[in-house]
Amino acid sequence: MSGLILERLYNCSALILERNVTLLSRLNRSEFHHFVEEALNKSSRRDVLRDALSDCIFVNQERPFDLPWWQKLFWSLIFAVILLMATGGNIIVMWIVLAHRRMRTVTNCFLVNLSVADLMMSVLNCIFNFIFLLNSNWPFGVVYCTINNFVAHVTVASSVFTLVVISFDRYMAIMYPLKHHMSRRRTVIILILIWGISSALASPCLLYSTTSSRRYSNGTTRISCYLLWPDGGYLHSKTEYCYNIVFLAVTYLVPMTVMAFCYSCMGRELWGSKSIGELTHYQRESMRSKRKVVKMFICVVVIFAVCWLPYQGFFIFVYHHRHFAESSYVQHVYLGFYWLAMSNSMVNPIIYYWMNNRSRFVIYLLFIVFVIRFYDMNHCNKNFVTNKRNRYFSRKVFVRRMERLAVTKCREVRKSVYPKS
């Protein structure tokens, strides 16, 4: 801390708290910090004095983290891509499972829960949090600050707990196929437990979320949304640091260890073991289907681990290296880690389409129906074919072509979607 800022800190504290500046200047940094906190806690006007002290200290300082327009445009474009793809992709996944009876398996119910969490993260958290990070200002009020922080934590916890349950379900189905049976009632109970435990883990956000404003030079102000713990705010709270450690362990380290164990055992069973005698066609198809499902979820887990590790570890790193939070490039680093974490919501639907034949089968049919209806509406609205007979036959030829394309695509995936015994 420079001498000029330190002098202003002592002068403002003496002015606001009505103390002798000479006595305050004799205190070292830790003693001065303890004195100010104790004086604010004893006062009945704690919030008023804190805001006044902040305004006094930062009145001549320029507003920090104010990005130029071209950098804001760059970040806005890449965040817009993941928001559109995450929102649209997860809605399609939910529609495929909920609107088609054959898709309503236990595993797919957990996939819908994962899509719900990703959709909540994209719509209720990512949009508002990105605006806050981009402009270094929170314009949405203290109520939505609380909702925003709660949604961020509860969706992350719900996603990783859902992945753990899917891993354990697949583990039981492959390692103990005769004992494995997950009923719908048990599935519903597990989903309720997932959201209940996630909400309990995110409950501090409901208790300690708040906003504060600071005034800078030229009359500019900045409103921050953060967690104010009983022993201090961001970077100054030991409680927050312990909470981040617990949250990292519960929602990342322990689940990743459990899932790594489950998928290692499944991989050894599916690829490492050799069966006695020749397998029947049904057994080969069943083995191939199980391998595809396991591959898909291994991809989901690995991508989740890669996307969330930098963001989860950022807060712990900054607590031990506080000077990093004051650097000029920290905003870009945090935006990059946040974009990587949010991109996980976009990647999951792509993986489902790429590695799940049933999802691909339904999407093909949805695409063909959409194209035919769009062509039909466009043909009716625009009279670019004047002859009614030509219009009829041109539409008929187009529909036939689309039907042939649909049949071709469906045949490509039919064998793997519904294998014959």
Side-chain angles (χ1 to χ4, degrees):
M1 187 179 293
S2 65
L4 185 62
I5 298 177
L6 191 62
E7 182 182 356
R8 173 169 288 277
L9 180 62
Y10 282 120
N11 291 332
C12 289
S13 300
L15 178 64
I16 301 300
L17 301 177
E18 298 179 352
R19 296 293 191 275
N20 190 326
V21 68
T22 306
L23 295 177
L24 292 180
S25 61
R26 294 175 182 175
L27 302 175
N28 59 37
R29 187 172 179 177
S30 60
E31 292 173 344
F32 175 75
H33 178 73
H34 177 73
F35 169 78
V36 172
E37 286 295 328
E38 186 178 1
L40 292 174
N41 291 333
K42 289 181 179 180
S43 176
S44 59
R45 300 181 301 137
R46 176 182 177 181
D47 295 336
V48 176
L49 293 178
R50 187 181 293 274
D51 292 340
L53 184 61
S54 176
D55 292 341
C56 178
I57 295 172
F58 295 102
V59 67
N60 293 323
Q61 182 181 344
E62 293 185 0
R63 179 174 165 174
F65 308 120
D66 197 4
L67 298 178
W69 68 269
W70 62 272
Q71 293 181 4
K72 291 183 178 181
L73 179 62
F74 169 76
W75 285 114
S76 299
L77 290 176
I78 63 174
F79 267 90
V81 171
I82 65 169
L83 283 172
L84 291 175
M85 295 188 66
T87 304
N90 285 294
I91 289 176
I92 290 175
V93 170
M94 293 165 59
W95 175 81
I96 287 174
V97 176
L98 298 178
H100 301 84
R101 189 176 297 275
R102 285 190 175 185
M103 299 294 291
R104 297 176 193 170
T105 63
V106 171
T107 303
N108 286 344
C109 287
F110 291 125
L111 286 181
V112 168
N113 190 63
L114 197 61
S115 294
V116 169
D118 289 340
L119 188 62
M120 288 177 60
M121 174 71 77
S122 302
V123 176
L124 299 179
N125 173 258
C126 185
I127 297 175
F128 303 95
N129 215 29
F130 170 68
I131 294 173
F132 171 52
L133 295 175
L134 191 68
N135 300 315
S136 298
N137 185 55
W138 179 263
F140 306 109
V142 67
V143 175
Y144 202 82
C145 172
T146 303
I147 297 173
N148 179 74
N149 290 332
F150 178 76
V151 169
H153 287 75
V154 76
T155 50
V156 173
S158 175
S159 296
V160 73
F161 293 157
T162 303
L163 290 176
V164 171
V165 172
I166 292 174
S167 303
F168 185 74
D169 177 66
R170 291 295 87 203
Y171 174 82
M172 294 298 295
I174 292 172
M175 304 300 293
Y176 306 98
L178 299 179
K179 298 181 180 179
H180 174 262
H181 177 69
M182 180 77 76
S183 62
R184 289 191 176 183
R185 181 184 177 186
R186 186 177 297 178
T187 302
V188 173
I189 293 174
I190 290 175
L191 291 176
I192 294 173
L193 286 175
I194 287 174
W195 286 99
I197 297 172
S198 301
S199 300
L201 193 61
S203 59
C205 300
L206 299 176
L207 301 175
Y208 303 119
S209 293
T210 186
T211 59
S212 65
S213 61
R214 286 183 178 179
R215 294 181 184 178
Y216 297 94
S217 60
N218 300 326
T220 57
T221 60
R222 174 189 175 188
I223 302 175
S224 298
C225 171
Y226 64 104
L227 295 178
L228 181 61
W229 297 83
D231 59 340
Y234 179 59
L235 297 181
H236 301 290
S237 173
K238 192 72 174 180
T239 307
E240 182 181 33
Y241 174 74
C242 295
Y243 175 76
N244 289 333
I245 292 291
V246 171
F247 194 82
L248 175 65
V250 174
T251 63
Y252 191 88
L253 299 178
V254 174
M256 290 302 156
T257 304
V258 173
M259 288 187 284
F261 171 78
C262 290
Y263 285 114
S264 298
C265 294
M266 285 186 279
R268 186 174 56 185
E269 177 70 20
L270 293 175
W271 283 277
S273 61
K274 294 182 180 180
S275 59
I276 301 174
E278 187 177 354
L279 296 176
T280 63
H281 176 75
Y282 176 79
Q283 288 174 328
R284 286 196 300 270
E285 291 295 335
S286 177
M287 181 69 69
R288 188 182 305 169
S289 176
K290 289 179 180 179
R291 287 177 178 176
K292 273 193 171 185
V293 173
V294 171
K295 283 182 181 178
M296 183 182 74
F297 285 117
I298 288 175
C299 287
V300 171
V301 171
V302 170
I303 291 176
F304 181 90
V306 172
C307 288
W308 280 100
L309 179 59
Y311 183 79
Q312 293 272 33
F314 176 83
F315 300 100
I316 298 173
F317 174 82
V318 171
Y319 183 85
H320 292 285
H321 304 82
R322 301 184 184 183
H323 63 279
F324 183 77
E326 300 175 358
S327 61
S328 58
Y329 52 85
V330 66
Q331 190 174 9
H332 292 290
V333 173
Y334 186 76
L335 279 168
F337 288 164
Y338 186 68
W339 180 89
L340 185 63
M342 294 301 103
S343 65
N344 182 74
S345 302
M346 170 192 71
V347 172
N348 285 342
I350 297 175
I351 296 175
Y352 303 153
Y353 171 79
W354 174 42
M355 304 192 71
N356 191 308
N357 289 325
R358 292 193 177 188
S359 298
R360 193 157 63 244
F361 177 78
V362 175
I363 291 175
Y364 278 144
L365 295 180
L366 177 65
F367 174 74
I368 298 302
V369 171
F370 173 77
V371 171
I372 292 175
R373 290 185 178 180
F374 177 79
Y375 177 84
D376 192 23
M377 292 175 61
N378 191 45
H379 214 79
C380 294
N381 294 333
K382 297 181 179 179
N383 297 321
F384 55 85
V385 180
T386 56
N387 189 295
K388 292 183 178 180
R389 185 176 179 183
N390 291 339
R391 186 189 311 167
Y392 170 76
F393 283 109
S394 64
R395 178 183 180 278
K396 193 172 183 179
V397 170
F398 177 79
V399 171
R400 283 181 178 177
R401 289 177 180 176
M402 288 294 102
E403 288 174 348
R404 289 196 195 104
L405 178 61
V407 171
T408 303
K409 293 295 184 182
C410 292
R411 282 175 178 174
E412 291 177 1
V413 297
R414 187 178 181 86
K415 290 183 180 180
S416 54
V417 174
Y418 306 112
K420 296 180 180 179
S421 57

